[in-house]
Amino acid sequence: MSITIEKAIVDDCELLAQIQKDSFDDESRTFNNEPGGPDGYDSKESQIEFMKHGHYYKILKDSEIVGGVIVYVSNNFVYNLGRIYIDPKHQNRGIGHQVIKLIEAKYPDAQKWWLDTPNWSVSNHYFYEKSGYVKINEENGLFIYEKCMRS
């Protein structure tokens, strides 16, 4: 299994929106008994906006798009892992951990990464903590995680 990331393009938006919807809805159903996700998670137009304001990558497994990841530059040497999602059919196979490593390698100047995730998303907490992130705060129903990189 070969996992790679490539810059997402507008032609990918419809598929990325569908995969993101499937991923977030699956997670929300598991913990909240109803589908749902963050603003724009299921919209092709929002994917285009995310591309304009962040570094949006498609996740490829053997050349098939199986997810996406969005990175935002917060300020010098601090990056926000704005969103990472994997198609539920491809989850729990180590893809997410490979993607975290690929993203971190793409930004070797990063001194710190941070992200937020819903306080109810136990599987996300486990995933991020296993990837070296530490919960530092809770705000408005979100857990805030960060990871300090070696300089």
Side-chain angles (χ1 to χ4, degrees):
M1 164 176 73
S2 171
I3 302 300
T4 57
I5 56 173
E6 291 179 8
K7 191 165 176 70
I9 59 173
V10 172
D11 288 349
D12 300 323
C13 286
E14 193 167 337
L15 179 56
L16 290 169
Q18 185 59 55
I19 293 170
Q20 193 169 173
K21 178 176 177 14
D22 293 346
S23 177
F24 280 92
D25 284 354
D26 184 64
E27 178 81 1
S28 188
R29 266 191 219 96
T30 300
F31 294 100
N32 290 328
N33 295 317
E34 61 183 48
D39 289 342
Y41 81 111
D42 56 353
S43 156
K44 176 182 173 182
E45 294 74 24
S46 291
Q47 306 315 304
I48 293 169
E49 287 302 308
F50 297 148
M51 287 179 189
K52 290 179 184 174
H53 300 289
H55 304 175
Y56 201 146
Y57 300 93
K58 54 190 168 188
I59 300 167
L60 302 162
K61 176 185 171 217
D62 300 325
S63 302
E64 173 191 358
I65 297 175
V66 297
V69 59
I70 306 170
V71 174
Y72 298 102
V73 178
S74 296
N75 59 40
N76 288 342
F77 311 113
V78 177
Y79 292 86
N80 170 237
L81 186 56
R83 207 166 277 182
I84 182 171
Y85 58 93
I86 309 286
D87 186 317
K89 296 180 296 233
H90 296 278
Q91 290 178 5
N92 301 312
R93 297 182 185 168
I95 294 171
H97 291 290
Q98 289 182 53
V99 170
I100 292 278
K101 289 177 183 171
L102 290 169
I103 285 293
E104 289 173 354
K106 193 167 265 312
Y107 299 91
D109 63 332
Q111 293 178 3
K112 185 187 300 183
W113 287 89
W114 73 274
L115 60 92
D116 57 47
T117 192
N119 58 5
W120 48 260
S121 183
V122 177
S123 59
N124 281 357
H125 306 162
Y126 176 77
F127 168 73
Y128 291 123
E129 289 166 11
K130 191 173 174 187
S131 297
Y133 286 78
V134 176
K135 180 183 153 199
I136 60 164
N137 203 359
E138 183 174 359
E139 298 173 3
N140 303 318
L142 296 172
F143 283 0
I144 312 300
Y145 281 87
E146 74 175 26
K147 181 177 184 179
C148 294
M149 307 303 283
R150 295 184 185 155
S151 45

